[in-house]
Amino acid sequence: MESISCTLAEVVERLEALYDPSWAESWDAVGLVCGDPEQAVRKILFAVDPVAVVVDEALDWGADLVVTHHPLYLRGTTSVAATTFKGRVVHRLIRGGAALYAAHTNADVADPGVSDALARAVGLTGDLRPVQPSADDPRRGLGRIGDLPAPTPLREFAALAASGLPRTAGPLRVAGDLDRPVRTVAVCGGAGDSLLGTARAAGVDVFLTADLRHHPASEHLEADGPALVDASHWATEWPWLADAARRLTSALAAGGITVEARVSDAVTDAWTATTTDLDPRAS
């Protein structure tokens, strides 16, 4: 299908209708990082992280725009000099004619957003509701709660979740009785241990998220909280990319604009191996 280009400003307008920047947390840094609003956009690459391998893919493919979940400059900066990897990202994108846009916590709380895509990826069906609804709209919020089609032993749910998420170096970690039947499931894309108490109060059977720390997880289990499944941060957010790409291209198509969208398969999880992957005999 031939692409009918539009301007970056038009793409940003539709992105922000889907993921309103006003929904982002006060500490977040979302929106356009670099790019000329008047430049033409024909190809859009979606990725979790704005890192070198993603820039390589974008420039090799000829992308005009890279949409990432994680911001490049979350804490701000006083320089974009190419003496740092972040500066080099900006320089390479600008030289290659590609813009960069980030949709982070505004995409986390959108309806649908990051956790909706995660919920579907790990097998939840039917209606979903936020774990922590937004004050101004209870349909939006952090995390999602939904149901499996039937009660399932925890070990089988964990295997189902692992098969539905992209592979990373490390396996999913599970806490709880592996034979415990689970049906109502809470999920949160990215680091979700701030929702442990809320998930426990919601009466779910299992909570799947990423970046769980020892003490909060241990205390949660001692308080008879639901079982836990801890996945890779990157893997829990990656399923959203395809949903975001579909929603954006559909919104543009409704206005008579056709662009090509692609989801990066580059695994940009920080961890690249576990000791079980390493041959102890190698010198």
Side-chain angles (χ1 to χ4, degrees):
M1 181 181 295
E2 183 179 354
S3 296
I4 303 174
S5 68
C6 57
T7 66
L8 176 58
E10 290 175 298
V11 177
V12 168
E13 180 182 8
R14 286 161 177 80
L15 268 171
E16 295 187 346
L18 298 171
Y19 309 110
D20 191 328
S22 70
W23 300 341
E25 296 290 337
S26 59
W27 48 261
D28 204 1
V30 302
L32 190 63
V33 179
C34 66
D36 181 349
E38 297 306 312
Q39 75 182 71
V41 174
R42 295 178 179 83
K43 291 184 174 182
I44 306 172
L45 179 69
F46 285 78
V48 174
D49 297 299
V51 292
V53 67
V54 170
V55 176
D56 291 341
E57 181 178 354
L59 298 183
D60 288 346
W61 183 50
D64 307 296
L65 170 62
V66 180
V67 176
T68 61
H69 183 49
H70 292 145
L72 181 63
Y73 288 105
L74 182 59
R75 292 177 177 82
T77 186
T78 59
S79 170
V80 294
T83 52
T84 67
F85 95 84
K86 293 187 178 185
R88 288 190 290 275
V89 164
V90 173
H91 280 253
R92 291 185 63 207
L93 287 172
I94 291 174
R95 283 199 305 266
L100 175 62
Y101 186 95
H104 192 210
T105 55
N106 49 329
D108 286 334
V109 301
D111 175 30
V114 171
S115 291
D116 295 271
L118 172 60
R120 300 309 184 199
V122 301
L124 303 192
T125 58
D127 293 336
L128 301 172
R129 65 185 190 277
V131 177
Q132 182 176 291
S134 297
D136 61 335
D137 184 351
R139 296 170 300 176
R140 296 190 297 99
L142 288 173
R144 290 296 183 270
I145 296 173
D147 293 315
L148 296 168
T152 303
L154 176 61
R155 69 174 71 246
E156 293 183 17
F157 168 70
L160 175 67
S163 68
L165 295 175
R167 289 192 63 182
T168 57
L172 275 62
R173 301 187 300 175
V174 184
D177 180 354
L178 294 177
D179 295 318
R180 170 183 180 168
V182 300
R183 184 165 193 180
T184 302
V185 181
V187 302
C188 181
D193 64 7
S194 65
L195 296 180
L196 283 169
T198 310
R200 183 166 64 246
V204 302
D205 300 312
V206 58
F207 179 35
L208 182 150
T209 187
D211 298 343
L212 288 174
R213 295 170 296 156
H214 171 79
H215 292 295
S218 176
E219 291 167 9
H220 165 87
L221 294 168
E222 290 295 320
D224 295 323
L228 300 174
V229 178
D230 184 38
S232 150
H233 189 119
W234 173 85
T236 62
E237 295 176 330
W238 186 85
W240 168 76
L241 302 177
D243 184 61
R246 283 192 299 268
R247 296 188 74 206
L248 177 60
T249 54
S250 295
L252 290 167
I257 298 168
T258 303
V259 297
E260 189 175 354
R262 173 172 165 177
V263 171
S264 175
D265 289 326
V267 178
T268 55
D269 190 62
W271 310 109
T272 57
T274 67
T275 53
T276 57
D277 301 318
L278 306 177
D279 183 353
R281 296 169 297 180
S283 59

